[in-house]
Amino acid sequence: MDMNLTKFPGNPYPLGATWDGKGVNFALFANNATSVELCLFDDDNQETKIQLKECTHHIWHVYLPGITHGQFYGYRVDGPFDPANGFRYNPNKVLIDPYAKSIAGPVKWHDSLFGYDLNDPDKDLSFNNLDSAPYIPKSVVIDPNFDWEDDKPLDIPYHKSIIYETHVKGFTILQPDIPEEIRGTYAAMAHPVTIQYLKDLGITAVELMPVHHFIIDAHLIEKGLSNYWGYNTIGFFAPDVRYSSSGVHGQQVIEFKNMVKELHKAGLEVIIDVVYNHTAEGNELGPTLSFKGIDNCAYYRLVEDNKRYYNDYTGTGNTLNANLPNVLRLIMDSLRYWILDMHVDGFRFDLASTLARELHDVDKLSSFFDIIYQDPVISQVKLIAEPWDIGEGGYQVGNFPSEWAEWNGKYRDCMRDYWRGADSMLGEFAERLSGSPDLYQNDGRKPTASINFITAHDGFTLHDLVAYDEKHNEANGENNNDGESHNRSWNCGVEGPTDDPEIINLRNQQKRNFLATMFLSQGVPMLVAGDEFGRTQGGNNNAYCQDNEISWLNWENADKSLQEFTQKLISLRKNHPIFCRRGWFQGRAIRSKVTDIAWFLPEGMELSEENWSHDFAKSLGVYLNGSEIHSVDTEGKKIVDDSFYIIFNAYHGPLDYILPPVKFGKTWNKVLDTSEVCVSEDGIEFNAEQTINVAGRSVVILKHKKD
């Protein structure tokens, strides 16, 4: 490479590497650095170092005419090496640009990637002189141009959304109808087979597990494992290269954009799971890959009285300090980039409580929330919080600001307890079914603030939830000590696989019960990929490190009956606005005597206040009045639907139910029965006050057609 490159001062903004058709502007924030070298690499990893002379507002910058997209680069940053005071500069380390739009490959683990000597008894207080250039993945200058073909945001309202949580690789790697050479990639997610499957199922949004470029931990590689889930980000702007079928010189960016464009054409939104709470650099004993070597003090939360160590609210070793202006700018620039340049429709924020911590307490008025609220771009997309972290006071379900939706962990726990027959109050079941007004109504939010889920990537699959009492994580190499031990699961009588037809039938019925409950609840349902056809992980409830058949969807073993049931169930929800209301049922309390909802005992009487607090009560009926939805459509017309009577029977035996008096409806058609795999708009007809026998552990839905 020419060592006499022409150099212009360049500009401090935008940060990162920006190609303008004639050259590239490089800009790097490094607050405490004393010198910065830009390192250009050719395809043979030969390095050209360029000393940066310009520094504006702590941003080092240069413009290189003649450099084009596809160029590999990194930085060497020098400054004090004083770990006790939080400074970990080491110019022997080539560092990934925090604003890199593309990263050329995975880390090749080597001792040189650490800022200290791994064999020194002083550990991170020692200094490592080894050059990391051969082992660190290089940042890549990209071509930002792309033909979006007039692609625009779909803006599907929350109340009409069906979210499908999936993994780019795991969803497609075993799909036999997709060309083998693209399976497991963004291209596979954009393939017509994938899109048709999602459309047929009734999905409106795919929520992709982390696609930001991430690091596979060295200790996992040594065990023959992987960081399959990807919650170990090192590049907040770069789509991970491992999901690219087209190349590493920036082609992965084009492939991701094409995936989004094709999904949008089919009416499917794209939500991405983002991990802004920590990075892959870990604690003081972790590697120096990017932020730690650029400006450790300016990116991480360090222990106040001993800055050698990191505050860890995430269980990963470090926590990004979202209170610092440059970190906030990084997060907001990243979010805007994925919206404006990559056209994604929203974000699910991993361990979002961490981002809300001002000092140590979680604060819903933190600067992170303030800046999102006022941002005209970010505030307009779907913002979904995982409302907890591992720190004190980190469980914040129901406490996020009004513009946020939340993974409703209380919904998950309540519904699992109800269907496994645990001692739980009918009152909470009714709250969760109604959109959790106890959590969201008082601060001005709608039922759609509640993302309702029974399972997620973290934990049992739906099949395993009804097949295992205990976790079985031996394959993770931690003696089954990892993962949640209290799963609120029930194996229906036998642990794991069985040939007993009665247990198999009960498990299948329980799966239908969970799915029916979720899709009939107010709020936004989130289905985990494969739950619709009985995917199993063999009882592993923490398969984060299993990039293999344990985690991948096995399309050959799909339960077609359950898949068809789920498809019809989703269609039933989408066809009837009574199940996906925009507003709350009338009245501050769900048990008040209102016109749009009523709750019944098997004897046909409405529930009294006393009934709600009985932990032995396992069965109830709910009347939903389609004539009293109290909402209008986009044209301002009153929304009117059929009325429904739903019976939830978690009791182990059958119960006779007397249908409500004639004022609630003269005739009723059974449209769903989970004991019979029945979903039909016009089933068996029943009259008011007639007795209907409801099987044990089942859901029955009856419909009264609107006049």
Side-chain angles (χ1 to χ4, degrees), residues 13 95 112 230 341 372 383 424 470 535 592 680 682:
Y13 300 102
L95 305 170
S112 64
D341 288 65
I372 280 186
L383 303 172
S424 56
E470 307 295 337
R535 180 175 75 96
S592 60
S680 170
D682 294 295

Side-chain angles (χ1 to χ4, degrees), residues 204-275:
T204 69
V206 290
E207 181 176 303
L208 300 178
M209 291 176 65
V211 294
H212 287 176
H213 195 93
F214 63 90
I215 300 299
I216 298 177
D217 317 66
H219 73 274
L220 291 176
I221 294 175
E222 291 170 359
K223 294 179 180 179
L225 301 171
S226 176
N227 192 319
Y228 170 70
W229 287 353
Y231 292 94
N232 206 28
T233 306
I234 198 64
F236 293 107
F237 294 78
D240 194 277
V241 71
R242 281 162 289 225
Y243 305 143
S244 171
S245 66
S246 51
V248 303
H249 286 73
Q251 294 95 331
Q252 63 266 48
V253 179
I254 296 171
E255 188 172 327
F256 185 93
K257 289 178 177 178
N258 189 67
M259 175 193 72
V260 174
K261 182 172 71 172
E262 293 304 313
L263 289 168
H264 279 182
K265 284 181 181 178
L268 294 160
E269 290 188 319
V270 178
I271 299 168
I272 61 173
D273 197 335
V274 290
V275 190

Side-chain angles (χ1 to χ4, degrees), residues 148 257 334-344 377:
W148 280 103
K257 289 178 177 178
S334 171
L335 292 170
R336 278 189 292 267
Y337 174 76
W338 286 94
I339 297 166
L340 297 175
D341 288 65
M342 307 296 263
H343 285 212
V344 304
V377 174

Side-chain angles (χ1 to χ4, degrees), residues 394-672:
Y395 192 78
Q396 292 291 317
V397 174
N399 292 331
F400 273 66
S402 60
E403 63 271 18
W404 287 72
E406 298 176 13
W407 272 24
N408 191 344
K410 292 186 177 181
Y411 178 94
R412 171 200 60 203
D413 295 346
C414 175
M415 295 312 179
R416 287 187 178 194
D417 279 348
Y418 179 75
W419 284 113
R420 72 187 176 105
D423 288 340
S424 56
M425 306 301 178
L426 283 183
E428 186 184 3
F429 177 86
E431 296 275 12
R432 304 294 159 250
L433 189 74
S434 305
S436 296
D438 57 326
L439 299 177
Y440 304 115
Q441 188 172 13
N442 290 336
D443 62 2
R445 287 197 275 179
K446 303 294 185 182
T448 50
S450 178
I451 306 296
N452 298 330
F453 65 105
I454 302 297
T455 63
H457 68 270
D458 188 1
F460 280 148
T461 66
L462 181 62
H463 174 85
D464 291 354
L465 187 68
V466 301
Y468 295 92
D469 280 355
E470 307 295 337
K471 63 184 180 181
H472 296 270
N473 298 352
E474 290 81 6
N476 296 354
E478 298 182 40
N479 298 315
N480 205 34
N481 291 319
D482 63 306
E484 175 61 55
S485 296
H486 183 46
N487 294 284
R488 293 182 161 89
S489 61
W490 178 46
N491 64 19
C492 298
V494 172
E495 187 75 356
T498 179
D499 295 327
D500 188 322
E502 289 188 10
I503 292 178
I504 292 173
N505 289 336
L506 176 56
R507 288 176 177 177
N508 289 336
Q509 188 165 315
Q510 286 286 75
K511 283 183 265 187
R512 294 191 292 270
N513 289 336
F514 278 121
L515 290 168
T517 305
M518 182 173 72
F519 285 110
L520 297 174
S521 296
Q522 303 300 321
V524 183
M526 186 187 79
L527 179 67
V528 176
D531 275 358
E532 72 275 15
F533 60 66
R535 180 175 75 96
T536 179
Q537 293 180 166
N540 192 321
N541 74 350
N542 189 34
Y544 77 100
C545 56
Q546 301 295 337
D547 187 4
N548 50 47
E549 288 83 356
I550 291 176
S551 297
W552 302 340
L553 272 67
N554 187 329
W555 297 89
E556 299 292 341
N557 290 341
D559 180 344
K560 299 296 184 181
S561 174
L562 183 61
Q563 184 177 321
E564 183 180 353
F565 174 83
T566 307
Q567 183 178 336
K568 290 181 177 180
L569 187 59
I570 292 173
S571 178
L572 179 68
R573 176 186 175 90
K574 293 172 76 172
N575 289 338
H576 291 284
I578 192 69
F579 298 126
C580 40
R581 295 166 54 107
R582 285 192 293 129
W584 299 104
F585 291 109
Q586 295 298 298
R588 302 297 293 179
I590 60 172
R591 305 163 209 153
S592 60
K593 294 181 179 180
V594 292
T595 57
D596 52 6
I597 188 169
W599 306 85
F600 290 87
L601 294 168
E603 297 80 7
M605 300 177 293
E606 291 193 50
L607 272 76
S608 67
E609 189 65 32
E610 180 184 2
N611 298 129
W612 292 107
S613 59
H614 286 175
D615 59 12
F616 59 82
K618 308 299 181 189
S619 186
L620 79 166
V622 55
Y623 166 77
L624 304 177
N625 190 341
S627 299
E628 297 292 338
I629 295 178
H630 301 294
S631 188
V632 296
D633 61 19
T634 54
E635 297 178 351
K637 298 178 182 178
K638 177 179 170 60
I639 295 175
V640 178
D641 193 10
D642 301 318
S643 296
F644 287 85
Y645 188 71
I646 312 171
I647 300 169
F648 296 94
N649 182 24
Y651 183 64
H652 63 81
L655 288 177
D656 284 336
Y657 247 88
I658 299 175
L659 296 182
V662 69
K663 69 176 181 178
F664 291 96
K666 185 176 181 181
T667 58
W668 298 89
N669 290 98
K670 184 165 74 170
V671 299
L672 181 145

Side-chain angles (χ1 to χ4, degrees), residues 685-706:
E685 185 174 287
F686 295 89
N687 296 318
E689 300 186 43
Q690 185 175 342
T691 298
I692 179 174
N693 186 260
V694 179
R697 298 191 177 97
S698 70
V699 180
V700 171
I701 305 179
L702 301 115
K703 181 179 72 174
H704 173 65
K705 291 184 179 180
K706 57 180 177 287

Side-chain angles (χ1 to χ4, degrees), residues 279-406:
T279 79
E281 292 185 301
N283 61 17
E284 70 279 2
L285 299 179
T288 298
L289 308 174
S290 180
F291 309 91
K292 189 180 288 185
I294 292 170
D295 205 330
N296 189 56
C297 293
Y299 282 105
Y300 294 116
R301 290 179 180 263
L302 305 179
V303 175
E304 188 64 31
D305 56 356
N306 190 347
K307 294 185 177 180
R308 175 185 178 184
Y309 301 107
Y310 297 77
N311 284 316
D312 181 10
Y313 297 112
T314 64
T316 61
N318 67 53
T319 305
L320 273 176
N321 193 345
N323 295 316
L324 298 175
N326 63 290
V327 177
L328 275 175
R329 177 174 59 196
L330 171 78
I331 296 173
M332 299 307 148
D333 286 349
S334 171
L335 292 170
R336 278 189 292 267
Y337 174 76
W338 286 94
I339 297 166
L340 297 175
D341 288 65
M342 307 296 263
H343 285 212
V344 304
D345 303 280
F347 306 93
R348 179 265 188 189
F349 291 80
D350 179 65
L351 300 181
S353 294
T354 301
L355 298 169
R357 290 183 180 273
E358 284 287 11
L359 292 174
H360 298 287
D361 295 333
V362 177
D363 182 0
K364 70 190 301 183
L365 301 178
S366 74
S367 50
F368 173 73
F369 291 131
D370 291 342
I371 199 167
I372 280 186
Y373 183 76
Q374 60 79 40
D375 190 284
V377 174
I378 303 171
S379 63
Q380 299 307 301
V381 301
K382 289 182 170 67
L383 303 172
I384 302 171
E386 181 186 33
W388 50 77
D389 64 21
I390 68 166
E392 183 178 353
Y395 192 78
Q396 292 291 317
V397 174
N399 292 331
F400 273 66
S402 60
E403 63 271 18
W404 287 72
E406 298 176 13

